[in-house]
C-alpha cells in the first residue's frame, strides 16, 4: 500500500531423501511449513500436508505464459481457496 511491503513469503522446492518437498515461510517464519509432493502431471503440480491448519494443499498449473496458483484447506469448519495468477512480463 503506497509503496510499502504489506506481506511477503519465502518459498522453495527441494529434492530431499523423502522426496520433493515444497517449503513455505510466510513472513519469513522459521521453521518453514513442509508440503510433500502429492501429484505431478504435465503442467500441474499439487503439494499437501495434513500437519498444518491452513492451507493443507498448494496447487500450481501453467497455461501458456501464465502460472496459476491456489492454496486450499479448511478454515473455521469451511473449505476455503485463495487463487492467484502470474503472467510473463515482457520488457
Amino acid at each position: 500500500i503506497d509503496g510499502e511491503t504489506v506481506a511477503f513469503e519465502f518459498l522453495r522446492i527441494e529434492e530431499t531423501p523423502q522426496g520433493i518437498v515444497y517449503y513455505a515461510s510466510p513472513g519469513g517464519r522459521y521453521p518453514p511449513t513442509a508440503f510433500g509432493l502429492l501429484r505431478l502431471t504435465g503442467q500441474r503440480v499439487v503439494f499437501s500436508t495434513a500437519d498444518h491448519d491452513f492451507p493443507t494443499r498448494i496447487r500450481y498449473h501453467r497455461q501458456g505464459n501464465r502460472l496459476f496458483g491456489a492454496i486450499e484447506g479448511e478454515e473455521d469448519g469451511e473449505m476455503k481457496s485463495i487463487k492467484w495468477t502470474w503472467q510473463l512480463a515482457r520488457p
Side-chain angles (χ1 to χ4, degrees), residues 51-72:
D51 299 331
H52 193 254
D53 51 3
F54 179 85
T56 54
R57 187 182 319 209
I58 299 172
R59 295 185 297 115
Y60 290 100
H61 77 275
R62 183 177 170 190
Q63 199 171 31
N65 288 333
R66 292 188 179 171
L67 178 65
F68 298 89
I71 56 175
E72 304 168 331

Side-chain angles (χ1 to χ4, degrees), residues 36-41 44-47 57 59:
L37 178 65
L38 180 64
R39 188 170 43 255
L40 174 62
T41 55
R44 297 179 182 270
V45 64
V46 180
F47 298 93
R57 187 182 319 209
R59 295 185 297 115

Side-chain angles (χ1 to χ4, degrees), residues 18-43:
Q18 294 76 32
I20 297 174
V21 179
Y22 180 103
Y23 293 98
S25 299
R29 183 184 64 214
Y30 186 85
T33 302
F35 294 80
L37 178 65
L38 180 64
R39 188 170 43 255
L40 174 62
T41 55
Q43 299 290 313

